[in-house]
Amino acid sequence: MREMNLNEFLEQLASAAPVPGGGGASALAGALGVALGNMVGSLTVGKKKYAAVEDEIRELNGKAAVLREELLSLVEKDAEVFEPLSKAYGIPKDDPGREEVMATVLKAAAEVPLAIMKKCCEALDLIAVYAEKGSVLAVSDAGCAASLCRAAMESAALNVYINTKSMADRQLAESLNGEVCTMLQEYGHKADAIYQSVSGRLH
């Protein structure tokens, strides 16, 4: 998938083109969330009121910048793994090599949204600190960041499930589904806690 500006990406997403799709959109939402958290940090450093946490916030900002780039790279990666999957579905069911090909491409297609989920969990860990220690003037942005990363995580989960559903190797499928369930439960609670904390401070 060629590099696109945001408007081009959205036009392509809205079209009948096979990519980008739900996985790429999830990764982009996660990148937006972590960038928004990073903004809270950027508005915190250099302020006398937050001198005691400045070193910690600077460290978080460095981690957030890396996460943002990793999530953006997963937009591209999701598109890359979809093409061989779409081709594999076209292999005749009586082809003796079909099962092996399907196993390979389904695993690859599930691993990318799983990676997106993991990056969103890392982002939520950072955002929790931004919400707690960052500038109060930007606390609403920390809540927005948490909401975006939660949505990205939940969206990516569906993209894991649609691939594990078709796997012949049910042991692998259930293992991947278990990872998804654990992240949704733990980090869904974390995102809720951040959102409720921010909301409670605003009214």
Side-chain angles (χ1 to χ4, degrees):
M1 189 174 71
R2 68 180 180 83
E3 187 171 329
M4 292 180 273
N5 64 37
L6 183 57
N7 189 59
E8 289 174 326
F9 181 88
L10 293 175
E11 288 284 350
Q12 190 84 349
L13 187 63
S15 75
V19 293
S26 299
L28 178 59
L32 289 170
V34 76
L36 197 52
N38 201 158
M39 186 188 83
V40 177
S42 295
L43 290 168
T44 303
V45 296
K47 303 292 172 61
K48 188 175 180 181
K49 181 179 178 180
Y50 301 101
V53 296
E54 177 153 340
D55 288 345
E56 183 178 4
I57 296 297
R58 285 187 183 280
E59 184 178 351
L60 287 184
N61 288 349
K63 291 178 180 178
V66 171
L67 268 178
R68 185 177 73 247
E69 290 302 319
E70 289 174 335
L71 280 160
L72 281 177
S73 73
L74 287 166
V75 175
E76 179 78 18
K77 185 64 177 176
D78 186 72
E80 288 175 6
V81 297
F82 183 79
E83 185 178 1
L85 175 63
S86 64
K87 287 181 178 177
Y89 274 115
I91 299 172
K93 291 191 176 181
D94 59 356
D95 188 313
R98 186 179 194 273
E99 185 175 338
E100 184 178 351
V101 172
M102 286 298 297
T104 300
V105 296
L106 283 168
K107 183 172 183 288
E111 284 176 341
V112 174
L114 191 67
I116 294 167
M117 290 188 73
K118 290 175 181 177
K119 295 303 175 185
C120 288
C121 291
E122 290 179 43
L124 283 164
D125 283 335
L126 301 185
I127 293 163
V129 183
Y130 283 132
E132 179 188 355
K133 300 181 180 181
S135 172
V136 295
L137 297 176
V139 68
S140 61
D141 296 299
C144 293
S147 295
L148 282 166
C149 286
R150 177 178 183 156
M153 177 181 66
E154 291 177 342
S155 301
L158 297 178
N159 285 274
V160 177
Y161 289 147
I162 197 169
N163 291 298
T164 57
K165 182 177 174 63
S166 298
M167 287 180 175
D169 184 344
R170 298 315 302 161
Q171 185 174 350
L172 174 61
E174 291 311 315
S175 174
L176 295 173
N177 287 347
E179 286 189 65
V180 169
C181 186
T182 297
M183 283 188 279
L184 287 175
Q185 189 166 40
E186 180 180 351
Y187 282 89
H189 287 317
K190 174 161 276 196
D192 279 345
I194 296 167
Y195 186 89
Q196 293 303 325
S197 172
V198 169
S199 180
R201 291 162 66 183
L202 294 175
H203 58 76

